Amino acid sequence: MEAAEKGGYRVLLAKSGKGSEVVYNFNMNWNMEPGVPTSEQKPDMMREVFSDVRFRRAMSLAINREEINGIIYYGHATPRQMTVIPTSRCFKPEFADAYAEYDPDRANALLDEMGLEWDEDHELRLWPDGTPMKIAWDFFETETPKGPVTELVREYWREVGVEMNYKSITRDLLGEKILANKEPISLWHGDETTDVLFMSRPKFFAPVDSDESCWGILWGRWHEAEGESEEAVEPPPEIKELYEWLDKYKLTRDKEWGIKTLESQAENVWTIGTVGNAPHPIIVNKNLRNIPPAEQLYWTWDSLWLFPTFPAQWYFKKG
C-alpha cells in the first residue's frame, strides 16, 4: 500500500469469505478395514482418541486464536470456530464461539479426563499404549498462510502434550495419501461456508471422499456409493444423521437442516477452525474502472473469486 501511488495501483481489502482460514481434521477412520461396519472394527488407539469428542474439544481450546489473528493477520481477521460466515441465513453466534476460547487449563483437564497421562518429564502425553503422542502428517500449502498458522498451532498443541510433525507436499501426493486413508490429520482452508455452496457437498461438516479433509474418508465413500462400495465403511448413526440432513437440505434448501448440521459441528467439533473472515488484498490498476468497492468483494471459491464483479464490464479510463 505504501508503493501504491508510485506503482499506479490501489489496494482493495476484500473479505476472504471463509468460515476459517485454516482448518484441521483428525482421522476418525484411521486404520479401519473397508467393508466392516464401524461398530465391528478392531480397536485402534489413535482412532479411539481422535473419535473422542473431548480430544477434539481440547485441541480446539488449546489454540490461541487471538494470537494467530495478531501475528498472521495483523488483527484484521476474526477468531472463531469453523462454521458458516455471519451473512449466512444459518449463522448463529454460538456456532462461531463453540470451544473457540483460548483455555489451555480446560484443554488439559479434558485430556486428563480421557486418561492421557504425561510422560515422566511432563513434556508429552502418552498414547494408551504408553508411547509419546507424536503425530506425523502432511499438508498442501495453498491459498491461505497454512504453514505460518500451523507453526503456531503446533506450539499450542505441544503445550498440552501433543506433538505434530508435519511437512508440506504436492497436492497430487497428498491426494493419493488421503484417499488411501494414510493421513492421521488433514488441513485445508474453510471455504464453501457462504450460502452459495454451503451444504452442496459435505467436506467439513460431514465426511467426504475427497483430498480436502481426512476425518471420514471411508464413511464419505459409503455415502457417495450409497453403501455399495467394498472400499467403504458403514458409518455410525450420528454420521448417517449428518448425511440425512445434507440430503434433505439439497432437496429443499430448508435452513432447518443446515442449522441442525451446524449445531452438530458446534457440539462435536468435527472440524477445528482458527480464524475467519480475513482480508484479502487485491491489487487494481488505478485506471481500471467498474470494480465494486471492497466491502462488496469476496475472495473465495464460493464466488469463483471475482466472477460476480462481471470482469467483461471492466474498462480502462483514458488519460
Side-chain angles (χ1 to χ4, degrees), residues 3 17 57 61 73 85 126 173 200 211 231 243 245 258 296 305:
R57 290 171 178 173
L61 291 166
Y73 298 97
I85 63 175
L126 304 175
L173 179 55
S200 293
D211 67 351
E231 296 301 315
Y243 290 134
W245 297 336
Q296 295 180 16
W305 296 282

Side-chain angles (χ1 to χ4, degrees), residues 12-33:
L12 302 179
L13 289 180
K15 295 179 285 292
S16 76
K18 296 179 178 66
S20 180
E21 305 303 309
V22 182
V23 300
Y24 300 91
N25 289 107
F26 288 94
N27 189 350
M28 287 181 272
N29 284 178
W30 185 249
N31 281 345
M32 275 188 165
E33 183 180 347

Side-chain angles (χ1 to χ4, degrees), residues 56 112 132 139-140 151 179 224 311:
R56 300 191 301 276
D112 290 341
F139 72 94
F140 173 56
E151 286 182 27
L179 295 177
E224 293 182 18

Side-chain angles (χ1 to χ4, degrees), residues 119 193 210 218 276 279:
D119 60 20
T193 51
S210 164
L218 302 181

Side-chain angles (χ1 to χ4, degrees), residues 219-283:
W219 292 336
R221 200 161 293 165
W222 178 90
H223 175 246
E224 293 182 18
E226 298 182 342
E228 298 299 323
S229 172
E230 294 182 356
E231 296 301 315
V233 171
E234 182 180 351
E238 62 269 25
I239 301 300
K240 287 183 177 180
E241 196 169 46
L242 293 175
Y243 290 134
E244 179 183 348
W245 297 336
L246 175 83
D247 293 340
K248 287 182 177 179
Y249 185 91
K250 286 180 179 179
L251 288 172
T252 65
R253 293 291 165 181
D254 188 332
K255 69 177 184 180
E256 173 189 355
W257 311 115
I259 290 173
K260 282 182 175 292
T261 301
L262 294 175
E263 287 174 344
S264 177
Q265 156 63 14
E267 176 67 18
N268 293 284
V269 199
W270 304 118
T271 297
I272 299 174
T274 49
V275 302
N277 299 316
H280 185 93
I282 299 175
I283 297 175

